[in-house]
Amino acid sequence: MSDSILQHDVRHVWHPYTQHHQAPSPIPIARANGSWLFDTTGRPILDAISSWWVTTHGHCHPSIVSAIAAQAATLDQVIFAGFTHEPAAALAAALVERLPAGLSRIFYSDDGSTAVEVAIKLSLQSFANDGRPRRLIAALENAYHGDTFGAMAAGARGVFTHMYEPLLFDVARLPDPSEGDTLTALDALIASRGHELAAVIVEPLVLGASGMRVWDEAVLQGIRTRTAAAGVHLIADEVMTGFGRTGPMFACGRAGVSPDLLCMSKGLTGGVLPLGATAATETIFDAFRSDDRRKTFFHGHSYTANPIACAAALASLALFTDECDQARARITETHRQQLASLQGTAGVRAVRQIGTVAAVELDAPAGYLSDIGRELAAFSLQEGVLLRPLGNVAYCLPPYCTSNAELDRVYDVIARFLEGARAAPIGSGGPVDD
């Protein structure tokens, strides 16, 4: 079976974030369960990164699988313009119950990047609809918000975006809160260009793709205070941080902050099906109510609020029980203990953690294309653990069902790599392409 998969793959498939001229053959995965992936030979691979940060309760969770099957047999898809259905309406109500106060409207999309596009467009058009157009967006240095054009524009300029820079709109940059004075810079921006500023977009409390850079809750609170006073929207990109990753359901809740717009995806369906959502305040929603049809929000996706995906999300939300809270607390504490043992180890520049997200910054050339990340990825796969370092930053962001013994296995792989263990020679192309 694996031979036929690879034959078709090499001839016809284009993989994300992959340099096909150099990359080795991908690993064919046949099934998954809990924290484990199984290739077509039956070899188990521990999923220490929740398959790109999406899998919350574990792979193939029976409650979510059952909800998907039942919904697929009842209503698979319907246009969401002019129609509605129970899974979408119930999910919107369930999300509003759990979101920071003031977020009362849910606009569905397909993924994290499109949820960000929706938030930016809602902010800009709401000001225009009110007759006071603002065109400026502010974002953090080292941010990542997705790979569609608006999301790329809000993200940091770098290897992901340099090919498209002439086509990206200008964004006011604020210092990365993990290394600079964001609030002083925001004060200066509001003083000079506040009349132009529509929104400030942030990844609350942790900048993910730039290396799991953790930042202070007080800074997020300060951003909220300043934007609210200036009548500027705060957009919280919780695509990665949402659904318990930082401790509470949303990172904004950890800081006691209510944004004007909040973007969700990844863990929204438990990581089983693609679905995005953007939450907005009633004030923003009201800016689109008008007898003038030109003030409509002209945005939508073919699969907006797909009933099966919404059913999966409802089933996932139902799994956020006291037991899930305890599991996340256990993972958080295990991370803390393991990182403490790595702190100061030869080859470790820094360790950092927030909730179930843990990172080890390796003492090697920094940047997403750092070779040490490919080396660690190769070694960990050889040892049956899926890690995908962000350059020289290795991170562990596991499903909540992951046991302490499984976490110990992840950290043992990292420790042995630091002690000098390496994968078999792989040539110049590297094991996992960036």
Side-chain angles (χ1 to χ4, degrees), residues 20 37 56 60 64 98 118 143 146 168 180 227 238 290 294 305 410:
H20 281 270
L37 307 168
T56 49
C60 298
I64 301 176
R98 293 163 171 81
V118 167
L168 304 180
T227 52
E238 295 240 23
S290 176
R294 291 171 296 183
V410 175

Side-chain angles (χ1 to χ4, degrees), residues 2 13 28 55 84 135 138 164 199-200 205 255 267 279 357 408-409 419 426:
S2 62
V13 176
T55 305
T84 190
R135 295 286 184 242
Y164 313 103
V200 176
L205 305 186
V357 183
D408 290 346
R409 179 170 179 164
E419 291 166 0
I426 48 172

Side-chain angles (χ1 to χ4, degrees), residues 104-128:
S104 59
R105 295 284 175 170
I106 303 297
F107 191 98
Y108 292 111
S109 57
D110 292 347
D111 52 38
S113 189
T114 54
V116 169
E117 298 282 345
V118 167
I120 291 172
K121 290 175 70 174
L122 285 175
S123 177
L124 294 173
Q125 189 177 340
S126 68
F127 281 108

Side-chain angles (χ1 to χ4, degrees), residues 15-299:
H15 289 270
Y17 287 84
T18 299
Q19 176 46 261
H20 281 270
H21 181 64
Q22 298 178 328
S25 297
I27 299 170
I29 297 298
R31 62 185 182 90
N33 184 60
S35 299
W36 293 88
L37 307 168
F38 298 86
D39 71 12
T40 50
T41 71
R43 181 174 76 107
I45 301 171
L46 179 58
D47 187 356
I49 64 168
S50 296
S51 285
W52 249 343
W53 321 349
V54 302
T55 305
T56 49
H57 309 291
H59 291 281
C60 298
H61 193 286
S63 296
I64 301 176
V65 171
S66 294
I68 289 171
Q71 186 59 52
T74 306
L75 173 64
D76 57 349
Q77 168 66 6
V78 62
I79 181 175
F80 206 61
F83 292 86
T84 190
H85 49 78
E86 194 275 337
L91 177 58
L95 287 172
V96 168
E97 250 182 51
R98 293 163 171 81
L99 284 162
L103 294 168
S104 59
R105 295 284 175 170
I106 303 297
F107 191 98
Y108 292 111
S109 57
D110 292 347
D111 52 38
S113 189
T114 54
V116 169
E117 298 282 345
V118 167
I120 291 172
K121 290 175 70 174
L122 285 175
S123 177
L124 294 173
Q125 189 177 340
S126 68
F127 281 108
N129 282 0
D130 283 343
R132 46 195 182 101
R134 298 184 180 190
R135 295 286 184 242
L136 181 63
I137 302 294
L140 301 177
E141 292 285 359
N142 297 319
Y144 173 81
H145 295 290
D147 293 334
T148 50
F149 270 82
M152 280 197 297
R157 301 297 188 264
V159 67
F160 295 173
T161 62
H162 77 276
M163 290 296 297
Y164 313 103
E165 282 194 36
L167 303 174
L168 304 180
F169 59 77
D170 289 334
V171 171
R173 291 291 167 195
L174 300 171
D176 173 346
S178 72
E179 59 186 24
D181 188 347
T182 310
L183 297 181
T184 296
L186 179 56
D187 286 336
L189 177 63
I190 290 173
S192 63
R193 303 183 68 184
H195 62 290
E196 302 173 57
L197 186 60
V200 176
I201 183 169
V202 301
E203 296 168 85
L205 305 186
V206 55
L207 302 175
S210 64
M212 301 299 171
R213 298 163 178 255
V214 178
W215 54 285
D216 200 297
E217 295 171 23
V219 178
L220 181 57
Q221 293 161 355
I223 293 172
R224 173 70 289 189
T225 299
R226 287 159 172 80
T227 52
V232 173
H233 295 147
L234 174 59
I235 302 173
D237 178 354
E238 295 240 23
V239 170
M240 188 269 278
T241 55
F243 304 101
R245 287 296 180 191
T246 68
M249 185 65 80
F250 296 98
C252 284
R254 183 176 177 128
V257 162
S258 290
D260 300 284
L261 294 150
L262 188 147
C263 308
M264 298 164 273
S265 188
K266 290 195 183 290
L268 175 56
T269 65
V272 181
L273 288 172
L275 182 66
T278 304
T281 64
E282 204 69 15
T283 300
I284 291 175
F285 179 75
D286 285 341
F288 292 80
R289 288 183 177 272
S290 176
D291 291 327
D292 184 350
R293 291 181 62 197
R294 291 171 296 183
K295 293 186 176 182
T296 300
F297 186 48
F298 292 107
H299 185 105

Side-chain angles (χ1 to χ4, degrees), residues 328-416:
R328 299 202 309 278
R330 173 183 54 76
I331 290 171
T332 297
E333 176 59 20
T334 302
H335 278 330
R336 188 193 66 77
Q337 293 175 9
Q338 291 281 7
L339 291 176
S341 69
L342 286 174
Q343 181 80 57
T345 299
V348 174
R349 186 174 294 157
V351 300
R352 44 188 176 264
Q353 178 194 2
I354 183 167
T356 65
V357 183
V360 180
E361 184 174 342
L362 304 179
D363 190 11
Y368 188 78
L369 298 181
S370 177
D371 285 339
I372 198 166
R374 297 191 301 168
E375 293 180 21
L376 176 53
F379 176 68
S380 64
L381 273 179
Q382 178 179 284
E383 299 299 303
V385 174
L386 171 57
L387 292 174
R388 190 179 173 91
L390 297 157
N392 68 315
V393 178
Y395 66 90
C396 180
L397 196 158
Y400 301 148
C401 62
T402 306
S403 69
N404 285 355
E406 290 166 341
L407 286 172
D408 290 346
R409 179 170 179 164
V410 175
Y411 283 100
D412 175 67
V413 165
I414 295 172
R416 286 190 287 118

